[in-house]
Amino acid sequence: MCIAVPVRILDVDEGKMPMGHVDHDGVSVSCCFAYTPQAQVGHYAIVQNGFAIDVMDAETAAKSLELFAEIAAMNENTELHVNE
């Protein structure tokens, strides 16, 4: 299963195989933009196995990131009971 977390596009180098970088929670990650020719710096992308597979606007990305933050907060407040 894949969890699609939006990442901000930092740069895109055009060419036969357009490559660039995205910001994944403060870490710059290399990414291929062959499937998303509309990708531009500042947009948000969904990346799967190093390939941007979709592009979204900042508002949609923000909503998605808020939901992930809520899920993370719920997990922090949940006790894990193993072998009870």
Side-chain angles (χ1 to χ4, degrees), residues 2-42:
C2 170
I3 297 177
V5 179
V7 292
R8 191 172 52 86
I9 299 171
L10 299 174
D11 60 65
V12 179
D13 296 323
E14 299 297 327
K16 287 185 178 182
M17 185 62 70
M19 298 294 293
H21 295 88
V22 296
D23 176 7
H24 188 288
D25 200 25
V27 177
S28 177
V29 178
S30 183
C31 180
C32 178
F33 293 97
Y35 301 133
T36 54
Q38 73 277 26
Q40 296 179 14
V41 173

PDB file of all heavy atoms in Angstrom, residues 2-42:
ATOM      1  N   CYS A   2       0.467   2.254  -0.685  1.00  0.00           N
ATOM      2  CA  CYS A   2       1.209   3.503  -0.779  1.00  0.00           C
ATOM      3  C   CYS A   2       0.432   4.602  -0.065  1.00  0.00           C
ATOM      4  O   CYS A   2      -0.763   4.755  -0.258  1.00  0.00           O
ATOM      5  CB  CYS A   2       1.400   3.878  -2.243  1.00  0.00           C
ATOM      6  SG  CYS A   2       2.050   5.538  -2.466  1.00  0.00           S
ATOM      7  N   ILE A   3       1.132   5.367   0.752  1.00  0.00           N
ATOM      8  CA  ILE A   3       0.532   6.552   1.355  1.00  0.00           C
ATOM      9  C   ILE A   3       1.109   7.742   0.615  1.00  0.00           C
ATOM     10  O   ILE A   3       2.312   7.967   0.616  1.00  0.00           O
ATOM     11  CB  ILE A   3       0.854   6.634   2.853  1.00  0.00           C
ATOM     12  CG1 ILE A   3       0.254   5.435   3.570  1.00  0.00           C
ATOM     13  CG2 ILE A   3       0.349   7.943   3.426  1.00  0.00           C
ATOM     14  CD1 ILE A   3       0.554   5.367   5.033  1.00  0.00           C
ATOM     15  N   ALA A   4       0.247   8.483  -0.054  1.00  0.00           N
ATOM     16  CA  ALA A   4       0.682   9.579  -0.918  1.00  0.00           C
ATOM     17  C   ALA A   4       0.734  10.885  -0.140  1.00  0.00           C
ATOM     18  O   ALA A   4      -0.271  11.532   0.090  1.00  0.00           O
ATOM     19  CB  ALA A   4      -0.261   9.701  -2.112  1.00  0.00           C
ATOM     20  N   VAL A   5       1.934  11.268   0.271  1.00  0.00           N
ATOM     21  CA  VAL A   5       2.149  12.513   0.999  1.00  0.00           C
ATOM     22  C   VAL A   5       2.604  13.575   0.012  1.00  0.00           C
ATOM     23  O   VAL A   5       3.565  13.371  -0.725  1.00  0.00           O
ATOM     24  CB  VAL A   5       3.216  12.323   2.100  1.00  0.00           C
ATOM     25  CG1 VAL A   5       3.469  13.611   2.836  1.00  0.00           C
ATOM     26  CG2 VAL A   5       2.809  11.216   3.055  1.00  0.00           C
ATOM     27  N   PRO A   6       1.933  14.730  -0.024  1.00  0.00           N
ATOM     28  CA  PRO A   6       2.358  15.793  -0.937  1.00  0.00           C
ATOM     29  C   PRO A   6       3.725  16.349  -0.546  1.00  0.00           C
ATOM     30  O   PRO A   6       4.021  16.517   0.637  1.00  0.00           O
ATOM     31  CB  PRO A   6       1.289  16.875  -0.758  1.00  0.00           C
ATOM     32  CG  PRO A   6       0.133  16.205  -0.123  1.00  0.00           C
ATOM     33  CD  PRO A   6       0.699  15.076   0.691  1.00  0.00           C
ATOM     34  N   VAL A   7       4.541  16.606  -1.550  1.00  0.00           N
ATOM     35  CA  VAL A   7       5.863  17.202  -1.355  1.00  0.00           C
ATOM     36  C   VAL A   7       5.982  18.418  -2.266  1.00  0.00           C
ATOM     37  O   VAL A   7       5.432  18.440  -3.364  1.00  0.00           O
ATOM     38  CB  VAL A   7       6.993  16.190  -1.640  1.00  0.00           C
ATOM     39  CG1 VAL A   7       7.011  15.087  -0.605  1.00  0.00           C
ATOM     40  CG2 VAL A   7       6.866  15.593  -3.030  1.00  0.00           C
ATOM     41  N   ARG A   8       6.688  19.464  -1.800  1.00  0.00           N
ATOM     42  CA  ARG A   8       6.833  20.694  -2.576  1.00  0.00           C
ATOM     43  C   ARG A   8       7.970  20.544  -3.577  1.00  0.00           C
ATOM     44  O   ARG A   8       9.047  20.052  -3.244  1.00  0.00           O
ATOM     45  CB  ARG A   8       7.090  21.888  -1.655  1.00  0.00           C
ATOM     46  CG  ARG A   8       6.999  23.231  -2.363  1.00  0.00           C
ATOM     47  CD  ARG A   8       7.064  24.387  -1.381  1.00  0.00           C
ATOM     48  NE  ARG A   8       8.187  24.317  -0.474  1.00  0.00           N
ATOM     49  CZ  ARG A   8       9.398  24.782  -0.753  1.00  0.00           C
ATOM     50  NH1 ARG A   8       9.648  25.354  -1.902  1.00  0.00           N
ATOM     51  NH2 ARG A   8      10.363  24.663   0.135  1.00  0.00           N
ATOM     52  N   ILE A   9       7.731  20.984  -4.817  1.00  0.00           N
ATOM     53  CA  ILE A   9       8.729  20.891  -5.876  1.00  0.00           C
ATOM     54  C   ILE A   9       9.734  22.034  -5.710  1.00  0.00           C
ATOM     55  O   ILE A   9       9.367  23.205  -5.682  1.00  0.00           O
ATOM     56  CB  ILE A   9       8.065  20.950  -7.268  1.00  0.00           C
ATOM     57  CG1 ILE A   9       7.096  19.771  -7.421  1.00  0.00           C
ATOM     58  CG2 ILE A   9       9.124  20.946  -8.366  1.00  0.00           C
ATOM     59  CD1 ILE A   9       6.226  19.837  -8.663  1.00  0.00           C
ATOM     60  N   LEU A  10      11.014  21.672  -5.603  1.00  0.00           N
ATOM     61  CA  LEU A  10      12.079  22.651  -5.414  1.00  0.00           C
ATOM     62  C   LEU A  10      12.688  23.104  -6.731  1.00  0.00           C
ATOM     63  O   LEU A  10      12.999  24.279  -6.910  1.00  0.00           O
ATOM     64  CB  LEU A  10      13.183  22.066  -4.525  1.00  0.00           C
ATOM     65  CG  LEU A  10      12.773  21.660  -3.114  1.00  0.00           C
ATOM     66  CD1 LEU A  10      13.922  20.959  -2.410  1.00  0.00           C
ATOM     67  CD2 LEU A  10      12.312  22.883  -2.334  1.00  0.00           C
ATOM     68  N   ASP A  11      12.918  22.157  -7.644  1.00  0.00           N
ATOM     69  CA  ASP A  11      13.485  22.498  -8.951  1.00  0.00           C
ATOM     70  C   ASP A  11      13.156  21.406  -9.957  1.00  0.00           C
ATOM     71  O   ASP A  11      12.888  20.270  -9.574  1.00  0.00           O
ATOM     72  CB  ASP A  11      15.002  22.729  -8.879  1.00  0.00           C
ATOM     73  CG  ASP A  11      15.768  21.507  -8.390  1.00  0.00           C
ATOM     74  OD1 ASP A  11      15.767  20.477  -9.091  1.00  0.00           O
ATOM     75  OD2 ASP A  11      16.387  21.585  -7.314  1.00  0.00           O
ATOM     76  N   VAL A  12      13.124  21.793 -11.216  1.00  0.00           N
ATOM     77  CA  VAL A  12      12.875  20.850 -12.306  1.00  0.00           C
ATOM     78  C   VAL A  12      13.829  21.196 -13.438  1.00  0.00           C
ATOM     79  O   VAL A  12      13.859  22.330 -13.902  1.00  0.00           O
ATOM     80  CB  VAL A  12      11.419  20.940 -12.832  1.00  0.00           C
ATOM     81  CG1 VAL A  12      11.210  19.963 -13.985  1.00  0.00           C
ATOM     82  CG2 VAL A  12      10.418  20.689 -11.727  1.00  0.00           C
ATOM     83  N   ASP A  13      14.637  20.226 -13.861  1.00  0.00           N
ATOM     84  CA  ASP A  13      15.542  20.397 -14.990  1.00  0.00           C
ATOM     85  C   ASP A  13      14.941  19.698 -16.194  1.00  0.00           C
ATOM     86  O   ASP A  13      14.786  18.479 -16.189  1.00  0.00           O
ATOM     87  CB  ASP A  13      16.928  19.804 -14.677  1.00  0.00           C
ATOM     88  CG  ASP A  13      17.614  20.538 -13.540  1.00  0.00           C
ATOM     89  OD1 ASP A  13      17.467  21.775 -13.448  1.00  0.00           O
ATOM     90  OD2 ASP A  13      18.301  19.870 -12.743  1.00  0.00           O
ATOM     91  N   GLU A  14      14.553  20.475 -17.210  1.00  0.00           N
ATOM     92  CA  GLU A  14      13.933  19.912 -18.409  1.00  0.00           C
ATOM     93  C   GLU A  14      14.959  19.102 -19.202  1.00  0.00           C
ATOM     94  O   GLU A  14      16.155  19.284 -19.065  1.00  0.00           O
ATOM     95  CB  GLU A  14      13.371  21.039 -19.289  1.00  0.00           C
ATOM     96  CG  GLU A  14      12.310  21.874 -18.614  1.00  0.00           C
ATOM     97  CD  GLU A  14      11.067  21.088 -18.238  1.00  0.00           C
ATOM     98  OE1 GLU A  14      10.710  20.144 -18.965  1.00  0.00           O
ATOM     99  OE2 GLU A  14      10.462  21.426 -17.205  1.00  0.00           O
ATOM    100  N   GLY A  15      14.469  18.231 -20.037  1.00  0.00           N
ATOM    101  CA  GLY A  15      15.329  17.420 -20.878  1.00  0.00           C
ATOM    102  C   GLY A  15      14.590  16.173 -21.299  1.00  0.00           C
ATOM    103  O   GLY A  15      13.374  16.050 -21.099  1.00  0.00           O
ATOM    104  N   LYS A  16      15.309  15.235 -21.906  1.00  0.00           N
ATOM    105  CA  LYS A  16      14.669  13.984 -22.318  1.00  0.00           C
ATOM    106  C   LYS A  16      14.061  13.265 -21.116  1.00  0.00           C
ATOM    107  O   LYS A  16      13.022  12.631 -21.222  1.00  0.00           O
ATOM    108  CB  LYS A  16      15.680  13.074 -23.013  1.00  0.00           C
ATOM    109  CG  LYS A  16      16.057  13.536 -24.386  1.00  0.00           C
ATOM    110  CD  LYS A  16      16.962  12.537 -25.069  1.00  0.00           C
ATOM    111  CE  LYS A  16      17.266  13.018 -26.471  1.00  0.00           C
ATOM    112  NZ  LYS A  16      18.093  12.061 -27.193  1.00  0.00           N
ATOM    113  N   MET A  17      14.732  13.340 -20.001  1.00  0.00           N
ATOM    114  CA  MET A  17      14.229  12.758 -18.766  1.00  0.00           C
ATOM    115  C   MET A  17      14.245  13.875 -17.723  1.00  0.00           C
ATOM    116  O   MET A  17      15.249  14.097 -17.056  1.00  0.00           O
ATOM    117  CB  MET A  17      15.107  11.591 -18.298  1.00  0.00           C
ATOM    118  CG  MET A  17      14.577  10.876 -17.083  1.00  0.00           C
ATOM    119  SD  MET A  17      12.972  10.083 -17.288  1.00  0.00           S
ATOM    120  CE  MET A  17      13.397   8.738 -18.366  1.00  0.00           C
ATOM    121  N   PRO A  18      13.123  14.607 -17.588  1.00  0.00           N
ATOM    122  CA  PRO A  18      13.101  15.742 -16.656  1.00  0.00           C
ATOM    123  C   PRO A  18      13.246  15.285 -15.210  1.00  0.00           C
ATOM    124  O   PRO A  18      12.444  14.488 -14.720  1.00  0.00           O
ATOM    125  CB  PRO A  18      11.745  16.398 -16.908  1.00  0.00           C
ATOM    126  CG  PRO A  18      10.912  15.343 -17.546  1.00  0.00           C
ATOM    127  CD  PRO A  18      11.837  14.415 -18.260  1.00  0.00           C
ATOM    128  N   MET A  19      14.281  15.773 -14.561  1.00  0.00           N
ATOM    129  CA  MET A  19      14.569  15.426 -13.177  1.00  0.00           C
ATOM    130  C   MET A  19      14.549  16.691 -12.333  1.00  0.00           C
ATOM    131  O   MET A  19      14.631  17.795 -12.859  1.00  0.00           O
ATOM    132  CB  MET A  19      15.943  14.754 -13.068  1.00  0.00           C
ATOM    133  CG  MET A  19      16.072  13.449 -13.829  1.00  0.00           C
ATOM    134  SD  MET A  19      15.040  12.119 -13.170  1.00  0.00           S
ATOM    135  CE  MET A  19      15.795  11.831 -11.583  1.00  0.00           C
ATOM    136  N   GLY A  20      14.458  16.521 -11.050  1.00  0.00           N
ATOM    137  CA  GLY A  20      14.490  17.651 -10.142  1.00  0.00           C
ATOM    138  C   GLY A  20      14.510  17.171  -8.709  1.00  0.00           C
ATOM    139  O   GLY A  20      14.854  16.026  -8.434  1.00  0.00           O
ATOM    140  N   HIS A  21      14.126  18.080  -7.808  1.00  0.00           N
ATOM    141  CA  HIS A  21      14.122  17.758  -6.386  1.00  0.00           C
ATOM    142  C   HIS A  21      12.823  18.226  -5.753  1.00  0.00           C
ATOM    143  O   HIS A  21      12.233  19.217  -6.182  1.00  0.00           O
ATOM    144  CB  HIS A  21      15.311  18.430  -5.688  1.00  0.00           C
ATOM    145  CG  HIS A  21      16.621  17.918  -6.155  1.00  0.00           C
ATOM    146  ND1 HIS A  21      17.286  18.456  -7.243  1.00  0.00           N
ATOM    147  CD2 HIS A  21      17.369  16.879  -5.717  1.00  0.00           C
ATOM    148  CE1 HIS A  21      18.399  17.781  -7.432  1.00  0.00           C
ATOM    149  NE2 HIS A  21      18.475  16.822  -6.520  1.00  0.00           N
ATOM    150  N   VAL A  22      12.410  17.500  -4.723  1.00  0.00           N
ATOM    151  CA  VAL A  22      11.232  17.866  -3.945  1.00  0.00           C
ATOM    152  C   VAL A  22      11.639  17.948  -2.475  1.00  0.00           C
ATOM    153  O   VAL A  22      12.619  17.337  -2.055  1.00  0.00           O
ATOM    154  CB  VAL A  22      10.076  16.846  -4.124  1.00  0.00           C
ATOM    155  CG1 VAL A  22       9.595  16.844  -5.562  1.00  0.00           C
ATOM    156  CG2 VAL A  22      10.486  15.448  -3.704  1.00  0.00           C
ATOM    157  N   ASP A  23      10.876  18.718  -1.712  1.00  0.00           N
ATOM    158  CA  ASP A  23      11.112  18.867  -0.281  1.00  0.00           C
ATOM    159  C   ASP A  23      10.186  17.923   0.463  1.00  0.00           C
ATOM    160  O   ASP A  23       8.970  18.119   0.485  1.00  0.00           O
ATOM    161  CB  ASP A  23      10.846  20.315   0.133  1.00  0.00           C
ATOM    162  CG  ASP A  23      10.967  20.531   1.634  1.00  0.00           C
ATOM    163  OD1 ASP A  23      11.389  19.610   2.355  1.00  0.00           O
ATOM    164  OD2 ASP A  23      10.637  21.640   2.087  1.00  0.00           O
ATOM    165  N   HIS A  24      10.763  16.890   1.047  1.00  0.00           N
ATOM    166  CA  HIS A  24       9.986  15.917   1.818  1.00  0.00           C
ATOM    167  C   HIS A  24      10.301  16.132   3.288  1.00  0.00           C
ATOM    168  O   HIS A  24      11.276  15.605   3.818  1.00  0.00           O
ATOM    169  CB  HIS A  24      10.334  14.494   1.391  1.00  0.00           C
ATOM    170  CG  HIS A  24       9.436  13.462   1.993  1.00  0.00           C
ATOM    171  ND1 HIS A  24       9.481  13.110   3.318  1.00  0.00           N
ATOM    172  CD2 HIS A  24       8.445  12.717   1.457  1.00  0.00           C
ATOM    173  CE1 HIS A  24       8.585  12.190   3.568  1.00  0.00           C
ATOM    174  NE2 HIS A  24       7.938  11.933   2.451  1.00  0.00           N
ATOM    175  N   ASP A  25       9.492  16.978   3.937  1.00  0.00           N
ATOM    176  CA  ASP A  25       9.639  17.265   5.366  1.00  0.00           C
ATOM    177  C   ASP A  25      11.042  17.762   5.701  1.00  0.00           C
ATOM    178  O   ASP A  25      11.671  17.310   6.653  1.00  0.00           O
ATOM    179  CB  ASP A  25       9.277  16.026   6.190  1.00  0.00           C
ATOM    180  CG  ASP A  25       8.930  16.370   7.633  1.00  0.00           C
ATOM    181  OD1 ASP A  25       8.501  17.518   7.890  1.00  0.00           O
ATOM    182  OD2 ASP A  25       9.089  15.492   8.496  1.00  0.00           O
ATOM    183  N   GLY A  26      11.530  18.702   4.893  1.00  0.00           N
ATOM    184  CA  GLY A  26      12.838  19.299   5.142  1.00  0.00           C
ATOM    185  C   GLY A  26      14.006  18.603   4.488  1.00  0.00           C
ATOM    186  O   GLY A  26      15.141  19.057   4.590  1.00  0.00           O
ATOM    187  N   VAL A  27      13.758  17.501   3.796  1.00  0.00           N
ATOM    188  CA  VAL A  27      14.816  16.747   3.123  1.00  0.00           C
ATOM    189  C   VAL A  27      14.619  16.866   1.615  1.00  0.00           C
ATOM    190  O   VAL A  27      13.531  16.614   1.098  1.00  0.00           O
ATOM    191  CB  VAL A  27      14.795  15.260   3.541  1.00  0.00           C
ATOM    192  CG1 VAL A  27      15.850  14.471   2.791  1.00  0.00           C
ATOM    193  CG2 VAL A  27      14.968  15.122   5.040  1.00  0.00           C
ATOM    194  N   SER A  28      15.688  17.248   0.904  1.00  0.00           N
ATOM    195  CA  SER A  28      15.631  17.342  -0.555  1.00  0.00           C
ATOM    196  C   SER A  28      15.806  15.949  -1.158  1.00  0.00           C
ATOM    197  O   SER A  28      16.793  15.265  -0.878  1.00  0.00           O
ATOM    198  CB  SER A  28      16.739  18.265  -1.061  1.00  0.00           C
ATOM    199  OG  SER A  28      16.733  18.307  -2.467  1.00  0.00           O
ATOM    200  N   VAL A  29      14.814  15.527  -1.955  1.00  0.00           N
ATOM    201  CA  VAL A  29      14.817  14.191  -2.542  1.00  0.00           C
ATOM    202  C   VAL A  29      14.775  14.319  -4.063  1.00  0.00           C
ATOM    203  O   VAL A  29      13.996  15.107  -4.604  1.00  0.00           O
ATOM    204  CB  VAL A  29      13.587  13.389  -2.043  1.00  0.00           C
ATOM    205  CG1 VAL A  29      13.546  12.011  -2.667  1.00  0.00           C
ATOM    206  CG2 VAL A  29      13.591  13.293  -0.526  1.00  0.00           C
ATOM    207  N   SER A  30      15.594  13.544  -4.758  1.00  0.00           N
ATOM    208  CA  SER A  30      15.614  13.532  -6.214  1.00  0.00           C
ATOM    209  C   SER A  30      14.333  12.901  -6.747  1.00  0.00           C
ATOM    210  O   SER A  30      13.799  11.960  -6.149  1.00  0.00           O
ATOM    211  CB  SER A  30      16.826  12.742  -6.706  1.00  0.00           C
ATOM    212  OG  SER A  30      16.900  12.767  -8.109  1.00  0.00           O
ATOM    213  N   CYS A  31      13.849  13.429  -7.881  1.00  0.00           N
ATOM    214  CA  CYS A  31      12.562  12.981  -8.411  1.00  0.00           C
ATOM    215  C   CYS A  31      12.550  13.109  -9.934  1.00  0.00           C
ATOM    216  O   CYS A  31      13.106  14.049 -10.488  1.00  0.00           O
ATOM    217  CB  CYS A  31      11.465  13.844  -7.792  1.00  0.00           C
ATOM    218  SG  CYS A  31       9.817  13.444  -8.331  1.00  0.00           S
ATOM    219  N   CYS A  32      11.891  12.178 -10.604  1.00  0.00           N
ATOM    220  CA  CYS A  32      11.699  12.233 -12.049  1.00  0.00           C
ATOM    221  C   CYS A  32      10.314  12.817 -12.340  1.00  0.00           C
ATOM    222  O   CYS A  32       9.322  12.400 -11.744  1.00  0.00           O
ATOM    223  CB  CYS A  32      11.814  10.840 -12.652  1.00  0.00           C
ATOM    224  SG  CYS A  32      11.516  10.815 -14.435  1.00  0.00           S
ATOM    225  N   PHE A  33      10.258  13.779 -13.270  1.00  0.00           N
ATOM    226  CA  PHE A  33       9.000  14.433 -13.620  1.00  0.00           C
ATOM    227  C   PHE A  33       8.509  14.059 -15.024  1.00  0.00           C
ATOM    228  O   PHE A  33       7.741  14.794 -15.634  1.00  0.00           O
ATOM    229  CB  PHE A  33       9.155  15.952 -13.501  1.00  0.00           C
ATOM    230  CG  PHE A  33       9.361  16.413 -12.091  1.00  0.00           C
ATOM    231  CD1 PHE A  33      10.635  16.658 -11.608  1.00  0.00           C
ATOM    232  CD2 PHE A  33       8.289  16.571 -11.236  1.00  0.00           C
ATOM    233  CE1 PHE A  33      10.827  17.075 -10.303  1.00  0.00           C
ATOM    234  CE2 PHE A  33       8.468  16.975  -9.924  1.00  0.00           C
ATOM    235  CZ  PHE A  33       9.746  17.234  -9.459  1.00  0.00           C
ATOM    236  N   ALA A  34       8.919  12.899 -15.523  1.00  0.00           N
ATOM    237  CA  ALA A  34       8.533  12.473 -16.871  1.00  0.00           C
ATOM    238  C   ALA A  34       7.023  12.319 -17.021  1.00  0.00           C
ATOM    239  O   ALA A  34       6.471  12.569 -18.092  1.00  0.00           O
ATOM    240  CB  ALA A  34       9.233  11.162 -17.233  1.00  0.00           C
ATOM    241  N   TYR A  35       6.339  11.896 -15.949  1.00  0.00           N
ATOM    242  CA  TYR A  35       4.892  11.667 -16.016  1.00  0.00           C
ATOM    243  C   TYR A  35       4.078  12.919 -15.707  1.00  0.00           C
ATOM    244  O   TYR A  35       2.847  12.905 -15.826  1.00  0.00           O
ATOM    245  CB  TYR A  35       4.480  10.563 -15.038  1.00  0.00           C
ATOM    246  CG  TYR A  35       5.163   9.248 -15.278  1.00  0.00           C
ATOM    247  CD1 TYR A  35       5.726   8.535 -14.217  1.00  0.00           C
ATOM    248  CD2 TYR A  35       5.256   8.700 -16.553  1.00  0.00           C
ATOM    249  CE1 TYR A  35       6.357   7.324 -14.430  1.00  0.00           C
ATOM    250  CE2 TYR A  35       5.888   7.494 -16.770  1.00  0.00           C
ATOM    251  CZ  TYR A  35       6.429   6.814 -15.710  1.00  0.00           C
ATOM    252  OH  TYR A  35       7.050   5.609 -15.921  1.00  0.00           O
ATOM    253  N   THR A  36       4.745  13.988 -15.279  1.00  0.00           N
ATOM    254  CA  THR A  36       4.047  15.218 -14.891  1.00  0.00           C
ATOM    255  C   THR A  36       4.720  16.429 -15.539  1.00  0.00           C
ATOM    256  O   THR A  36       5.341  17.247 -14.853  1.00  0.00           O
ATOM    257  CB  THR A  36       4.035  15.374 -13.359  1.00  0.00           C
ATOM    258  OG1 THR A  36       5.385  15.296 -12.886  1.00  0.00           O
ATOM    259  CG2 THR A  36       3.175  14.313 -12.693  1.00  0.00           C
ATOM    260  N   PRO A  37       4.598  16.571 -16.862  1.00  0.00           N
ATOM    261  CA  PRO A  37       5.266  17.682 -17.549  1.00  0.00           C
ATOM    262  C   PRO A  37       4.760  19.057 -17.101  1.00  0.00           C
ATOM    263  O   PRO A  37       5.448  20.053 -17.312  1.00  0.00           O
ATOM    264  CB  PRO A  37       4.954  17.421 -19.026  1.00  0.00           C
ATOM    265  CG  PRO A  37       3.742  16.550 -19.022  1.00  0.00           C
ATOM    266  CD  PRO A  37       3.823  15.738 -17.770  1.00  0.00           C
ATOM    267  N   GLN A  38       3.596  19.102 -16.464  1.00  0.00           N
ATOM    268  CA  GLN A  38       3.041  20.365 -15.992  1.00  0.00           C
ATOM    269  C   GLN A  38       3.658  20.826 -14.672  1.00  0.00           C
ATOM    270  O   GLN A  38       3.380  21.932 -14.204  1.00  0.00           O
ATOM    271  CB  GLN A  38       1.515  20.259 -15.848  1.00  0.00           C
ATOM    272  CG  GLN A  38       1.039  19.435 -14.663  1.00  0.00           C
ATOM    273  CD  GLN A  38       1.005  17.927 -14.888  1.00  0.00           C
ATOM    274  OE1 GLN A  38       1.737  17.382 -15.696  1.00  0.00           O
ATOM    275  NE2 GLN A  38       0.148  17.241 -14.130  1.00  0.00           N
ATOM    276  N   ALA A  39       4.497  20.006 -14.058  1.00  0.00           N
ATOM    277  CA  ALA A  39       5.084  20.324 -12.758  1.00  0.00           C
ATOM    278  C   ALA A  39       5.960  21.566 -12.840  1.00  0.00           C
ATOM    279  O   ALA A  39       6.762  21.717 -13.764  1.00  0.00           O
ATOM    280  CB  ALA A  39       5.907  19.139 -12.262  1.00  0.00           C
ATOM    281  N   GLN A  40       5.788  22.449 -11.853  1.00  0.00           N
ATOM    282  CA  GLN A  40       6.574  23.673 -11.781  1.00  0.00           C
ATOM    283  C   GLN A  40       7.057  23.883 -10.352  1.00  0.00           C
ATOM    284  O   GLN A  40       6.432  23.407  -9.399  1.00  0.00           O
ATOM    285  CB  GLN A  40       5.729  24.868 -12.202  1.00  0.00           C
ATOM    286  CG  GLN A  40       5.283  24.832 -13.641  1.00  0.00           C
ATOM    287  CD  GLN A  40       4.433  26.037 -13.995  1.00  0.00           C
ATOM    288  OE1 GLN A  40       4.379  27.013 -13.265  1.00  0.00           O
ATOM    289  NE2 GLN A  40       3.757  25.975 -15.130  1.00  0.00           N
ATOM    290  N   VAL A  41       8.144  24.619 -10.229  1.00  0.00           N
ATOM    291  CA  VAL A  41       8.683  24.946  -8.915  1.00  0.00           C
ATOM    292  C   VAL A  41       7.600  25.623  -8.080  1.00  0.00           C
ATOM    293  O   VAL A  41       6.880  26.494  -8.565  1.00  0.00           O
ATOM    294  CB  VAL A  41       9.916  25.861  -9.047  1.00  0.00           C
ATOM    295  CG1 VAL A  41      10.377  26.355  -7.687  1.00  0.00           C
ATOM    296  CG2 VAL A  41      11.030  25.127  -9.765  1.00  0.00           C
ATOM    297  N   GLY A  42       7.454  25.173  -6.842  1.00  0.00           N
ATOM    298  CA  GLY A  42       6.457  25.723  -5.937  1.00  0.00           C
ATOM    299  C   GLY A  42       5.167  24.931  -5.893  1.00  0.00           C
ATOM    300  O   GLY A  42       4.411  25.039  -4.939  1.00  0.00           O
TER     301      GLY A  42
END
